[in-house]
Amino acid sequence: MKQQAQGSGLTLKRAGFTTGFGVLAATLGSAVGLGNIWKFPYLTGANGGAGFLLIYLLATLLVGLPVMIAEITLGRRAKVNPISTMEQLAPKGKPWWLVGVIGMIAAFLIVAFYSEVVGWVFAYIAKAIDGSILSSDKLVTEAAFASLISNPLQSLFWQWGVLLFIGGILMLGVTKGIEAIAKKLMPLLFLLLLLLCAVSLSLDKAGEGLAFLFRPDFSKLTASVVLTAMGLAFFKLSVGMGTMMTYGSYFRDDQNIPVTTLRVMAADLGVSMLAGIAIFPAVFTFGFAPSAGPSLVFITIPAVFSQIPMGQALMVVFFILAAVAATGAMLSLMEVPVVIFHERFGWTRTKATVVTMLLLAVLGSVCALSNSTLADFKLFNLNMFDLFDFVSSNIFLPVGGIAIALFTGWAWGKQHFIEAISNHGQLQNRTLAHVLLFLLRFVSPVLILIVMLKGLKVF
């Protein structure tokens, strides 16, 4: 599917997603990340199980989903990069193009630190294969992780390797690169998860792990837990950073955007729950702390697998699974600056990708070295890894999400939105469009602002 892209007076031929499954797989790949493997299941279990899930689903319908639908709709309508999208659709003379700039900055900051974490995952595939981390002694697994992150050469090697890997896929283009890879990776992700779930459910204390995840405990549903669910609902769907607007620009004209986003939400939730079923029965069986956070992946999991039959092979499968989850998210994040450079400056995709990789290699290196060479360098009492995480998560993403909601609900306006979301009247979803407009105008921005203020520790 070829589309016309216009940016800064240039007209370029651009590709798009060619199949409905390709659209779903790529969009789901953007939403799924390493957080699905440990953060979401842990937060669910620690904050009330099924009760937290209900709050999360409600928050998703009020916060994350409307902004996701708005972003994709804007992208498909303009069929250009996020900066040019806002320029093209905004009223004359209004600086809404800055929303695209905010998204690009957010994408750069996130990839800068996230690529380092993904580098650890790829490094652990190699460690799992050679068996060096297969130990029931937590001191051994802690030492292995500390050795990796404190070694500047290893940190840079794996981070730059990830950037080259993702950049190589992006150079293939939207159809042969992003879509083709997503269509292979997403089924593989579910297949690996189901394999690990089957093993995990056979363990002695599988029931305790499942109870941790799913048993309702409404006594834990405090105001703080509700805010946690709201924040998770916003950040989990990759909105506010230009990724969904970029992928939306590759959507087919006949794609039903609300239905697609609901499927993405359901599948994303399914991945998180399957990950919880795969991990927590094993964690409880062998007496580890489910609250280990990021270290659960790199310290606790190897110790858990060391005590399971065929543990080394299953550990390799686990880290390949984590790499698959991370790859889809990395593709969508890096595609934002690539398509902006490609369309705004008229560069080839190859040049745009190489420039993006070089910039990220420089910017990301300060995060990669945060646990070694630059360990003592801090701003606002944060090292560069934590600073980039804090600024992107608590400032750029919420500001971007609020701006997209307000732009779609007010500046772009009711008629344009209804026409775009109904595929020019072909879909009978006018009532849904009015509900979404109400949420985008009055509900989503307020709730995102509350999440932002909580993240900034205003209250």
Side-chain angles (χ1 to χ4, degrees):
M1 172 190 269
K2 293 291 184 183
Q3 301 157 343
Q4 296 296 316
Q6 296 180 340
S8 299
L10 298 167
T11 303
L12 302 168
K13 286 280 188 182
R14 75 199 308 265
F17 299 136
T18 56
T19 65
F21 177 65
V23 171
L24 178 63
T27 311
L28 177 60
S30 176
V32 169
L34 290 176
N36 291 72
I37 306 300
W38 63 269
K39 186 175 183 179
F40 188 99
Y42 165 66
L43 285 176
T44 299
N47 290 290
F52 179 84
L53 269 180
L54 291 174
I55 299 295
Y56 168 79
L57 289 172
L58 178 61
T60 300
L61 294 173
L62 297 177
V63 182
L65 213 57
V67 180
M68 184 183 184
I69 290 172
E71 243 191 280
I72 291 173
T73 303
L74 293 172
R76 188 182 67 174
R77 183 58 176 261
K79 295 203 181 295
V80 284
N81 63 83
I83 296 176
S84 298
T85 290
M86 302 309 290
E87 275 185 340
Q88 187 182 121
L89 301 181
K92 294 287 185 184
K94 302 294 183 182
W96 285 102
W97 57 273
L98 288 170
V99 177
V101 174
I102 289 171
M104 181 177 177
I105 294 172
F108 262 112
L109 291 176
I110 293 169
V111 175
F113 71 84
Y114 190 62
S115 58
E116 175 61 7
V117 181
V118 180
W120 299 339
V121 172
F122 277 78
Y124 263 62
I125 294 175
K127 289 178 182 292
I129 291 172
D130 68 27
S132 62
I133 55 172
L134 192 67
S135 172
S136 59
D137 187 348
K138 206 174 171 191
L139 292 177
V140 173
T141 58
E142 284 176 347
F145 184 59
S147 173
L148 172 64
I149 67 174
S150 63
N151 186 316
L153 292 179
Q154 278 201 67
S155 295
L156 291 174
F157 172 80
W158 288 107
Q159 183 189 54
W160 293 352
V162 166
L163 292 175
L164 280 171
F165 172 62
I166 300 298
I169 296 173
L170 292 176
M171 285 183 195
L172 295 174
V174 176
T175 305
K176 294 181 180 178
I178 297 172
E179 182 179 6
I181 292 297
K183 285 162 74 173
K184 293 178 177 67
L185 290 185
M186 287 304 102
L188 177 62
L189 179 74
F190 280 97
L191 185 64
L192 294 177
L193 273 172
L194 290 172
L195 172 63
L196 289 173
C197 285
V199 174
S200 194
L201 289 173
S202 69
L203 298 174
D204 291 344
K205 295 188 179 180
E208 288 186 33
L210 295 179
F212 174 78
L213 275 175
F214 298 116
R215 179 183 294 154
D217 185 354
F218 295 105
S219 67
K220 292 183 178 179
L221 297 183
T222 63
S224 177
V225 168
V226 171
L227 287 174
T228 299
M230 283 168 48
L232 192 62
F234 173 69
F235 295 119
K236 193 68 210 68
L237 294 178
S238 297
V239 294
M241 63 185 87
T243 56
M244 288 303 168
M245 197 179 295
T246 299
Y247 274 17
S249 72
Y250 304 136
F251 267 44
R252 293 148 45 102
D253 290 332
D254 62 350
Q255 194 78 24
N256 188 323
I257 292 175
V259 169
T260 299
T261 54
L262 277 172
R263 287 174 179 166
V264 167
M265 184 194 90
D268 179 65
L269 181 63
V271 169
S272 296
M273 291 297 95
L274 286 174
I277 294 170
I279 292 173
F280 288 108
V283 168
F284 274 85
T285 297
F286 298 109
F288 291 101
S291 59
S295 66
L296 178 71
V297 175
F298 302 105
I299 296 174
T300 306
I301 288 299
V304 167
F305 279 114
S306 72
Q307 302 176 64
I308 297 176
M310 296 181 61
Q312 184 174 352
L314 291 170
M315 183 167 59
V316 173
V317 169
F318 175 83
F319 283 108
I320 290 174
L321 164 71
V324 168
T327 296
M330 283 286 293
L331 283 171
S332 67
L333 285 163
M334 282 181 64
E335 176 66 8
V336 175
V338 166
V339 74
I340 288 174
F341 289 147
H342 175 48
E343 293 180 354
R344 299 289 295 185
F345 301 125
W347 296 348
T348 63
R349 271 193 72 91
T350 299
K351 180 179 178 180
T353 305
V354 169
V355 170
T356 299
M357 285 192 298
L358 290 174
L359 290 173
L360 285 168
V362 174
L363 189 64
S365 65
V366 301
C367 296
L369 300 175
S370 290
N371 292 294
S372 54
T373 310
L374 299 178
D376 295 326
F377 180 74
K378 296 186 178 182
L379 291 175
F380 306 105
N381 207 33
L382 297 170
N383 64 31
M384 292 300 96
F385 186 103
D386 293 333
L387 181 65
F388 282 20
D389 185 6
F390 181 85
V391 171
S392 58
S393 298
N394 296 292
I395 298 175
F396 284 103
L397 294 190
V399 167
I402 291 168
I404 288 165
L406 294 177
F407 174 82
T408 307
W410 297 103
W412 197 34
K414 171 181 169 182
Q415 200 53 45
H416 284 125
F417 180 72
I418 292 175
E419 183 182 348
I421 205 173
S422 67
N423 295 356
H424 301 284
Q426 307 226 347
L427 302 175
Q428 301 303 311
N429 57 7
R430 196 175 182 86
T431 300
L432 174 63
H434 279 92
V435 171
L436 288 169
L437 274 172
F438 176 81
L439 293 174
L440 289 167
R441 285 175 170 178
F442 303 109
V443 180
S444 299
V446 174
L447 296 181
I448 296 170
L449 179 62
I450 292 171
V451 169
M452 179 179 177
L453 294 176
K454 179 180 182 288
L456 294 173
K457 296 179 170 53
V458 174
F459 57 83

